[in-house]
Amino acid sequence: MHRHLIDLESYSTPVLERILARAMDIRRAPQAYAHACEGKILATLFYEPSTRTQMSFQTAMLRLGGRTIGFDNPLNSSVAKGENLKDTITVVSGYADLIAMRNPLEGSAFAAGLYAGCPLINAGDGGHLHPTQTLTDLVTLKVYKGGLQGLTIGLCGDLKNGRTVHSLIKTMCRFGAKFVLISTRGLTLPQYLKDFMNASGCSFRECFRLEDAIGELDVLYMTRIQRERFDSPEQYEKERRVYCLDRQKMKRARQNLIVLHPLPRVDEIEIAVDEDERAKYFEQAMCGVYARMSLLIDMLENDREEPSPIHPLSMAPACPNARCIVNHEPYLPCSFTQAGDILICDYCEERLLR
Ligand code: NCD
């Protein structure tokens, strides 16, 4: 079992700081790293659409002197012939030194990690987590806010399905962030993340109107309504276009606010806002290359073995989350961590009462 990046929670703060510090150094002097991954191969396995994540991983590896293989459309791979995740990962990890994988099923990164013979990076597992976007966001905050401590962060849009938001919250709780959760009732943050914030003593409030919150924020993190996670087009239509950041709303914001967005933008930020010097989402996408360069170096330097993360229970129940990979790939062992009366699925973090 290799050291993987499934969830940044498994990274201690000193390790996180080490990766961020190197990303900052790469940003200052990229040439010094031009041969850091020479002779290494990164496989990018993208079972879901991507522009930035996939291309920034590829760019990162190429700029470090390494090479890449992979697919961006599983229909062009043996997945189209019915190959399961276990077999694909087992084989590809023999070809590559590192794997970055994105998959629409929640918990798929944890599942892939069980079979990967090389370190594996979660590049997005359904609506669950997206840890390398969080590394990107943290580098951006360091560059444009000068640090991570004590920021008031507004998260606006699809907080239910937005994996970037879920990962960001889990990590920023360590740095004393205050959150304002701006969403409709239908797209509020999952309860497990509110519990997480409460348990880590992190303060948050929920509100509906962006204009009511924008004036108090250091960072506004806009997100797209995640159309592909809705059960019906009607439900999506009901939720879209509720939020649009425009010049009018920007007038209420502080002069030192920064606006972030993991991108792609659909209609939640007016194009004219791009000209506002507080809009930093394109710079953020560039920070993603430095963050991923640093992560690739770190993972190749520190490829130590770890014990199996599986916790099989006797009489294990099934995970109640229909989007969890264990309900789609039947060979996967169910695995739960027990917390009092509650069982937490090790793949997707769904909770159930024992
Ligand atoms: C995000 C994602 O894929 O979760 N995009 C990205 O990686 N930069 C956000 C989104 O798709 O809305």
Side-chain angles (χ1 to χ4, degrees):
M1 197 58 58
H2 289 266
R3 190 181 63 108
H4 304 308
L5 173 52
I6 310 296
D7 179 343
L8 280 175
E9 253 202 284
S10 68
Y11 278 35
S12 67
T13 303
V15 170
L16 199 54
E17 294 284 11
R18 173 177 82 205
I19 294 170
L20 297 176
R22 179 134 58 185
M24 299 291 277
D25 197 55
I26 293 172
R27 180 172 177 270
R28 266 190 304 271
Q31 269 312 317
Y33 295 87
H35 304 286
C37 291
E38 219 153 55
K40 300 295 182 187
I41 295 178
L42 167 71
T44 55
L45 307 185
F46 277 66
Y47 294 77
E48 242 192 358
S50 170
T51 300
R52 270 150 295 274
T53 304
Q54 188 193 190
M55 289 173 68
S56 65
F57 263 118
Q58 292 172 346
T59 306
M61 197 48 160
L62 295 174
R63 289 201 184 280
L64 294 168
R67 282 173 290 175
T68 69
I69 56 171
F71 58 74
D72 55 15
N73 179 352
L75 297 179
N76 292 335
S77 76
S78 282
V79 175
K81 302 179 194 167
E83 184 166 69
N84 65 27
L85 186 69
K86 173 181 189 285
D87 294 357
T88 305
I89 294 294
T90 303
V91 171
V92 172
S93 54
Y95 298 163
D97 300 289
L98 272 175
I99 295 175
M101 185 193 80
R102 168 173 291 187
N103 187 291
L105 291 170
E106 295 172 12
S108 52
F110 183 91
L114 299 177
Y115 304 106
C118 69
L120 179 131
I121 302 167
N122 180 6
D125 61 330
H128 182 216
L129 294 173
H130 192 347
T132 66
Q133 181 64 46
T134 297
L135 288 177
T136 300
D137 301 340
L138 299 192
V139 172
T140 313
L141 293 175
K142 277 194 173 267
V143 174
Y144 295 100
K145 293 304 289 180
L148 305 177
Q149 280 299 335
L151 296 169
T152 300
I153 304 176
L155 300 161
C156 177
D158 192 344
L159 308 190
K160 179 179 178 204
N161 301 300
R163 57 192 170 197
T164 60
V165 163
H166 303 165
S167 281
L168 185 61
I169 287 177
K170 280 179 118 182
T171 302
M172 286 308 288
C173 277
R174 294 189 207 187
F175 299 100
K178 282 195 225 136
F179 291 105
V180 185
L181 308 175
I182 309 157
S183 76
T184 62
R185 273 171 187 276
L187 296 181
T188 55
L189 194 72
Q191 187 58 41
Y192 84 89
L193 285 163
K194 293 183 196 167
D195 295 344
F196 184 94
M197 287 191 279
N198 284 327
S200 34
C202 172
S203 83
F204 69 93
R205 72 179 175 90
E206 297 185 274
C207 87
F208 172 64
R209 280 162 47 92
L210 174 55
E211 42 279 58
D212 292 345
I214 195 166
E216 68 191 84
L217 304 177
D218 299 310
V219 180
L220 172 58
Y221 198 94
M222 295 296 295
T223 62
R224 169 179 75 88
I225 307 302
Q226 307 277 301
R227 181 172 57 186
E228 65 277 29
R229 314 266 181 245
F230 282 75
D231 292 331
S232 74
E234 295 73 35
Q235 278 174 326
Y236 170 67
E237 285 305 322
K238 214 179 95 208
E239 294 287 356
R240 70 178 297 200
R241 295 209 187 91
V242 174
Y243 295 104
C244 182
L245 179 64
D246 55 20
R247 279 168 297 180
Q248 215 44 41
K249 293 190 190 79
M250 287 298 282
K251 284 187 190 152
R252 293 171 174 247
R254 293 184 187 162
Q255 222 25 61
N256 65 354
L257 169 88
I258 62 168
V259 181
L260 302 184
H261 190 311
L263 303 176
R265 157 177 54 194
V266 183
D267 44 25
E268 57 282 350
I269 302 180
E270 182 185 66
I271 307 282
V273 174
D274 301 356
E275 306 308 320
D276 191 307
E277 62 179 25
R278 295 169 289 181
K280 296 292 184 218
Y281 27 89
F282 295 120
E283 288 84 349
Q284 182 185 3
M286 198 53 220
C287 287
V289 177
Y290 310 128
R292 292 183 173 103
M293 285 171 80
S294 179
L295 176 68
L296 294 175
I297 296 173
D298 201 271
M299 289 191 86
L300 288 168
E301 273 178 358
N302 296 289
D303 176 21
R304 53 185 156 70
E305 302 273 321
E306 300 231 315
S308 168
I310 278 284
H311 305 106
L313 293 176
S314 56
M315 312 268 288
C319 175
N321 175 8
R323 296 179 189 181
C324 178
I325 190 155
V326 292
N327 295 317
H328 296 258
E329 305 241 353
Y331 57 85
L332 289 169
C334 282
S335 174
F336 292 91
T337 297
Q338 206 162 341
D341 284 350
I342 292 174
L343 293 178
I344 304 167
C345 173
D346 288 325
Y347 293 82
C348 73
E349 295 187 79
E350 182 77 19
R351 265 74 174 146
L352 73 151
L353 266 173
R354 188 157 169 78

